[in-house]
Amino acid sequence: MAEGATCREGPSSSEVNYGEEDSQVCPDPASLEGLPAGVAGRRRDRRSGLSLPASAGTSAADCEASLLEAARVTPRRSSIIKDPSNQKCGRKKTVSFSSMPSEKKISSASDCISFMQAGCELKKVRPNSRIYNRFFTLDTDLQALRWEPSKKDLEKAKLDISAIKEIRLGKNTETFRNNGLADQISEDCALSILHGENYESLDLVANSADVANIWVSGLRYLVSRSKQPLDLIEGSQNTPRFMWLKTVFEAADVDGNGIMLEDTSVELIKQLNPTLKESKIRLKFKEIQKSKEKLTTRVTKEEFCEAFSELCTRPEVYFLLVQISKNKEYLDANDLMLFLEAEQGVAHITEEMCLDIIRRYELSEEGRLKGFLAIDGFTQYLLSPECDVFDPEQRKVAQDMTQPLSHYYINASHNTYLIEDQFRGPADINGYVRALKMSCRSIELDVSDGPDNEPILCNRNNMTTPLSFRSVIEVINKFAFVASEYPLILCLGTHCSVPQQKVMAQHMKKIFGNKLYTEAPLPSETYLPSPEKLKRKIIVKGKKLPPDQDMLEGEVTDEDEEAEMSQRMSEDYNDEQKLICLCRELSDLVSICKSVQYRDFEISMKNQSYWEICSFSETEASRLANDYPEDFVNYNKRFLSRIYPSAMRIDSSNLNPQDFWNCGCQIVAMNFQTPGPMMDLHTGWFLQNGGCGYILRPSIMRDEVSYFSANTKGIVPGVSPQVLHIKIISGQNFPKPKGACAKGDVIDPYVCIEIHGIPADCSEQRTKTVQQNSDNPIFDETFEFQINLPELAMIRFVVLDDDYIGDEFIGQYTIPLECLQPGYRHIPLRSFVGDIMEHVTLFVHVAITNQSGGGKAPKRSLSVRIGKKVREYTMLRNVGLKTIDDIFKIAVHPLREATDVRENMQNAIVSVKELCGLPPIASLKQCVLTLSSRLINSDDTPSVSLIMKDNFPYLEPLGTIPDVQKKVLAAYDLMIQESKFLIEMADTIHDKIIQCQKAGMEFHEELHNLGAKEGLKGRKLNKAIESFAWNITVLKGQSDLLKNAKNEALENMKQIQLACSSCGLSKAAAGGAEAKSKRSLEAIEEKETGDENGKL
């Protein structure tokens, strides 16, 4: 499991011994990170959604007893994690003390410079793994950076601003990478100053991420403006923002006196920023006026601008703006275009599209006319739906809907007629309306005899509010296809007499009409029809009379879920099935969802018809998932499985659907009326694919010959692990927990990040606690998670109060990994019952690296080396049948070649990123942009030229370049060579792997006969079949990974060429270079198109 370096460094001024010339900080890990112990017991139990499973050996009775007990004592935010070995050690409550000398926010470059001139303590990191505390200041004339104490002369313990070449945020130098304590230093607190012709590094660690950002932003600003007059740096009244605010003030100042009433100013600021509280605005005016020693209810233009700037500037957004604008305080169209391409992963962006964004979000008239986006417009853009974390492509049906019905997860409801608990809750028609509006595609109807020969639906524990069957059918008919046009399954629980069964059949035929799907299944088929074929059809699931018997009614076994608990708790309980009488009219409405009883997997695989469906109680399904995970997955490739909650859940609590999705179970019925972590997972999961209620399962769980175990503890064969990088930057407008009592409006928020998926992927990490800040708490912490099966992974962000009384829950958001958008995103938080809370967001940065296998095509071509370790190859297994093993042995060498060419290219890319001073999550476009700043001479001419050789972008020196740059160019050349080698060799290696896969598949139908001839039977034969499926899965997966790697390499070459052209590295090329570059791009695009239509 990849782990994020998330240590927090508290102030440690007591460690500095100013009496010594060279005071050294003891390299004790504890001095570099937050308190490393677990969260207190009550918080671990309550705080979020991760829970421990029962052991495999737990009996069903014990399991049910524990469920009953849990229903009584489980708090609102119970835990959902499954594998405690993957759970990061929680930490004790940690508090973020402000590192600022006052409460004043950073809202401009002058604020950064003022802070730097006042100075602060930073840790100085040396290559010998030693760390020293030093006090750093910026000279009043802004010409040099100084530190003390030092052995050096005071005039030597300084760094001239003019000597600075680069300022890097993060652990992106050799010193940090090779330091023994680097893992205990927070990425967000580290910064490096590169200076001199040899790019020597001064490596520092701040006490918090905001301090690191201030130094980086301030120094970058100074370096970029080192040749300008100082008054331009110090002046802040000519900024685009100030000019806009002045215009706003003057428009509201009807008297034209340059002052206005405080009430008017407060109202004006609230109009500009509705999220601000009136009390906070008034307090800010009082602070400003107090600092000027004046007491008045009138506000000047300057005071209005100052109050707005301090209240409405989010420092984390300001730092980002300065970074991407090349140290300006606004973005032009070119800045925005590079940001969207390199950071946000937006493809095919144009300058006109960027100007359109500026026109729509910039608040000032001047900015809209001149084409720049200032801090307030940029903040609004980041908060807009255009920057939502959810992939807009997944807001519409984006998956193949022509697969068999058994290949999809289906949004399903349990006891749909209930809106309260199943023990005492009344039946309510709104239960069906709510479920259908949430795209539920499987609903339940438990029907009993009613008065006047009209069947009814009711909670048999509460008969006071029955619903007529007819009225329910009418509501279903009205709302069935409002939210989704894909098939709706009605799970009938029939507990009524034959006469009323006939009434049921009549109502359904009359009301549903041709929507009712009654076509008899074809014995010649082997799989169910697809959702596409069944669009706008209603499918009845229930018992069916034998078709070969000509009778009007007959006995069938009853499936009464509600009787399960009473039967199991009864002393005279036996395994005999209760029989009920079923009429032919109702039986004939059941076609492709005939209910049958499960016996065991061996019998079912041999005898069950594809149109038959088994229902499993939670207890039975859990046992099968633990004992026979591979068999459960294989069973669900052809047949539908329906899982319903244990009857012991008398409070209508929900099971964990992920446990059963991991086994391929399609219909996991949830109690929609019960909010909580489990329902959060269910709701979040079915947001994808347009929210249509059908989600295509991963191919490894659908392919007829493939190996997958839900309990896998490591890498899934044929699937490349991805690394999810999440930086929790800040929160906005957190409300007080609804259930909190006897506490003011102040909260101490922290964020939990939960990963849900296969057991190997389940994990949880948390941020520090920010004390007493609900408006804009800054977290600035980065986390990493290795995801072995991305298509089944979900991320749940939970915001909690660390100093709660009664209730800690603030908000949550759950999203499938496949729906995450990269870059800087705002996450809209949902309440406990699942409603979006207005203006309540988390600001995060997301990157997913190593996206070379499975799932959707990556938005960004990113590569990362997970760890510097011995290369691992996915091994083939010995089947035990010589003929087949000989075929698979031929594939061993091409499989190693495929792994080598992929990883050699990835390692070469990482080396370039490291030498450019960028983290692994950076794109190659960002690398070229960073590199170009070093390779452009003072006269604005490039020191290298882009040369296209065989359609590959090489950089050739134009004269003498420093050794430091030679090293970078050598790494760049190696990356191009490795990419070229992969592109040229991929087809040949791919063909060899596919040939072995096809040759192996020819023996698939004969496996049992071949095994019998070799004397294999029972467990040995099953093991041979499992090993065969494993090998086929590896071959298919590795060939797909190689195909994706080639596409990534081609895209990289295209992006590098575009980046070189946009930043001027092709200026020195001879006449006609632009046309040649265009031809090269076209050649790359043609090669990609040809590969897609040809072998790869």
Side-chain angles (χ1 to χ4, degrees), residues 699-700 715-722 787-791 849-858 862-863 866 872-875 894-906 982-983 985-987 989-991 993-994 997 1032-1050 1095-1096:
S699 61
I700 199 170
I715 294 175
V716 178
V719 178
S720 177
Q722 294 182 355
I787 312 295
N788 293 287
L789 187 55
E791 289 170 290
T849 57
N850 269 1
Q851 292 192 78
S852 54
K856 63 181 180 181
L862 300 177
S863 298
I866 294 173
E872 295 181 357
Y873 299 94
T874 305
M875 305 301 292
L895 285 175
R896 291 180 69 90
E897 283 185 304
T899 302
D900 287 339
V901 294
R902 283 191 296 107
E903 295 205 5
N904 287 346
M905 183 186 74
Q906 290 172 357
L982 184 147
I983 290 168
M985 293 298 297
D987 285 348
I989 299 171
H990 181 270
D991 285 348
I993 295 173
I994 291 298
Q997 181 192 351
I1032 294 296
T1033 304
V1034 168
L1035 293 172
K1036 181 181 183 301
Q1038 291 297 319
S1039 64
D1040 289 343
L1041 293 179
L1042 185 59
K1043 176 175 66 176
N1044 292 331
K1046 181 182 176 181
N1047 291 337
E1048 177 183 343
L1050 287 166
K1095 292 179 182 178
L1096 293 188

Side-chain angles (χ1 to χ4, degrees), residues 640-657:
L640 288 175
S641 291
R642 175 177 164 271
I643 315 298
Y644 57 88
S646 169
M648 303 295 286
R649 295 183 181 274
I650 57 175
D651 61 346
S652 291
S653 59
N654 274 307
L655 49 75
N656 184 352

Side-chain angles (χ1 to χ4, degrees), residues 681-728:
L681 290 182
H682 180 272
T683 303
W685 182 247
F686 284 102
L687 288 175
Q688 60 185 310
N689 201 29
C692 73
Y694 284 83
I695 309 296
L696 188 63
R697 296 199 322 240
S699 61
I700 199 170
M701 303 174 74
R702 305 191 314 261
D703 293 341
E704 185 177 359
V705 181
S706 62
Y707 175 84
F708 175 73
S709 171
N711 292 339
T712 182
K713 295 291 183 181
I715 294 175
V716 178
V719 178
S720 177
Q722 294 182 355
V723 181
L724 172 64
H725 309 257
I726 295 180
K727 182 176 183 179
I728 305 293

